[in-house]
């Protein structure tokens, strides 16, 4: 299988391009590719391009870009995940696996019971780190669109940000009477809200219900906050997305 590399610069068919920074380092130092080797490039626009390395230096790789095509790896189901921020490695794993499972966007939510607190100084660096995690997951999984990683915000602010979105709004709640599969309808856009390690506070849950979120559960067991979205996304893709 040809290595897949994300290009931060827009790609054009039948052109010459350059890769620098982490992409160039990955090609030269990690993959140890050479001039003449074939790779696949994508820029997040929805297409991927066959390409061939023309030259490699320490900090720059020149490539010949071929025709672009849609590999058909994006889900027809647009899922937005509103996720209570959890501990660093767990959040990284959650973003990585959610990207592999076809998530469209992730809104990290700072909740009353969140263990992790991000101040304004740390948030931009953390967002860039999360974006790189998502990019790496796209390179591995064959995706051609990078999930949006929104700035961390409170439950109230995130509710306001998604207030005008259409489609189903689902709140994962282990005490809900309805299961996730039964709650699905014909909506192609789904907003999924999941609390942090300690769960949502009563006021946050009430705000979600007032904004039209529908409580659903995955089964009889209470899942960790980093496990729940992955289980939910797998079910959604099976019932209404990739395998529907």
């Amino acid at each position: 299988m040809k290595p897949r590399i994300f290009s931060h610069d827009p790609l054009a068919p039948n052109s010459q391009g350059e890769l620098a920074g982490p992409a160039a380092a990955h090609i030269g130092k990690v993959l140890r590719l050479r001039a003449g080797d074939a790779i696949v490039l994508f820029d997040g626009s929805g297409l991927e391009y066959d390409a061939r390395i023309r030259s490699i230096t320490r900090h720059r790789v020149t490539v010949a870009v071929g025709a672009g095509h849609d590999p058909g790896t994006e889900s027809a189901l647009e899922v937005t995940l509103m996720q209570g921020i959890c501990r660093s490695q767990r959040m990284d794993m959650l973003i990585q696996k959610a990207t592999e499972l076809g998530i469209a966007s992730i809104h990290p939510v700072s909740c009353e019971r969140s263990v992790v607190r991000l101040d304004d100084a740390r948030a931009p660096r953390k967002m860039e780190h999360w974006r790189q995690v998502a990019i790496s997951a796209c390179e591995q999984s064959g995706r051609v669109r990078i999930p949006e990683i929104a700035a961390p915000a409170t439950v109230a602010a995130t509710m306001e940000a998604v207030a005008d979105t259409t489609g189903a709004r689902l709140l994962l709640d282990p005490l809900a009477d309805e299961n996730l599969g039964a709650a699905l309808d014909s909506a192609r856009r789904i907003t999924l809200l999941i609390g942090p390690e300690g769960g949502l506070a009563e006021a946050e849950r009430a705000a979600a219900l007032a904004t039209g979120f529908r409580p659903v559960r995955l089964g009889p067991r209470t899942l960790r906050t980093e496990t729940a979205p992955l289980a939910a996304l797998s079910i959604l893709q099976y019932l209404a997305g990739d395998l529907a």
Side-chain angles (χ1 to χ4, degrees), residues 126-177:
K126 184 59 73 173
M127 286 177 63
E128 181 55 34
H129 171 74
W130 287 335
R131 177 172 164 78
Q132 189 55 53
V133 170
I135 287 173
S136 297
C138 287
E139 290 177 332
Q140 180 275 325
S141 63
R143 290 193 60 181
V144 287
R145 292 193 183 277
I146 311 300
E148 174 199 1
I149 309 291
T154 64
V155 173
T158 308
M159 292 287 179
E160 185 175 344
V162 302
D164 295 331
T165 59
T166 58
R169 299 181 185 184
L170 305 177
L171 164 64
L172 281 196
D173 181 351
L175 301 180
D177 295 325

Side-chain angles (χ1 to χ4, degrees), residues 81-85 107-114 116-117 151-163 169-171 191-196 198-213:
L81 174 62
M82 296 171 57
Q83 173 67 44
I85 299 172
H107 290 252
V109 182
S110 179
C111 303
E112 183 179 323
R113 296 174 180 167
S114 292
V116 177
R117 303 286 180 180
T154 64
V155 173
T158 308
M159 292 287 179
E160 185 175 344
V162 302
R169 299 181 185 184
L170 305 177
L171 164 64
T191 302
L192 190 62
L193 172 59
I194 300 175
L200 294 175
E202 279 304 314
E204 294 169 335
R205 186 177 185 280
L209 297 180
T211 317
F213 279 82

